[in-house]
């Protein structure tokens, strides 16, 4: 995980809190922002395929990667609205996923 993720998202959260407050509506808006950003990532991918004949190929894989980064940042910001320990919650989740991956890996016999 990037060393700057949590300090930068913390600054974003502080700025949003100062501008918009911290109520349930604001939490919902931050959650919806994740969906908005995911939609932009999907649109960028569609743009790489030229699926829309009217528009043609409008995006690159780098554009998709950039939009996916926006999804990650938006999710990290939103996570702060649902727990005071966002970094620890994500860390625990990553470890749980890693344990599942290890448990789901069949043992090799040679």
């Amino acid at each position: 995980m990037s060393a700057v993720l949590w300090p930068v998202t913390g600054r974003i959260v502080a700025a949003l809190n100062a501008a918009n407050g911290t109520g349930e509506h604001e939490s919902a808006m931050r959650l919806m922002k994740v969906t908005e950003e995911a939609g932009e990532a999907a649109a960028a991918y569609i743009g790489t395929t030229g699926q829309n004949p009217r528009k043609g190929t409008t995006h690159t894989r780098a554009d998709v990667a950039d939009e996916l980064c926006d999804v990650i940042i938006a999710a990290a910001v939103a996570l702060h609205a649902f727990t005071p320990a966002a970094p620890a919650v994500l860390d625990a989740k990553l470890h749980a996923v890693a344990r599942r991956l290890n448990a789901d890996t069949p043992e090799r016999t040679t």
Side-chain angles (χ1 to χ4, degrees):
M1 194 64 50
S2 172
V4 299
L5 176 67
W6 296 115
V8 171
T9 57
R11 289 175 46 207
I12 295 168
V13 168
L16 289 172
N17 289 351
N20 301 336
T22 59
E24 286 301 313
H25 177 75
E26 183 61 20
S27 295
M29 293 299 102
R30 293 177 195 186
L31 182 60
M32 285 190 278
K33 182 68 174 174
V34 177
T35 304
E36 177 193 9
E37 295 296 349
E40 290 177 12
Y45 180 76
I46 290 168
T48 69
T49 67
Q51 184 67 26
N52 184 335
R54 184 177 54 80
K55 293 181 180 179
T57 301
T58 58
H59 291 77
T60 66
R61 292 179 70 81
D63 294 326
V64 176
D66 186 63
E67 294 297 345
L68 288 170
C69 289
D70 287 345
V71 174
I72 293 166
I73 294 164
V77 169
L79 186 57
H80 280 277
F82 294 91
T83 178
V89 169
L90 179 58
D91 191 55
K93 183 65 173 188
L94 286 169
H95 286 291
V97 169
R99 283 191 303 276
R100 279 198 315 267
L101 286 172
N102 290 336
D104 289 344
T105 304
E107 289 189 33
R108 290 184 174 207
T109 55
T110 54

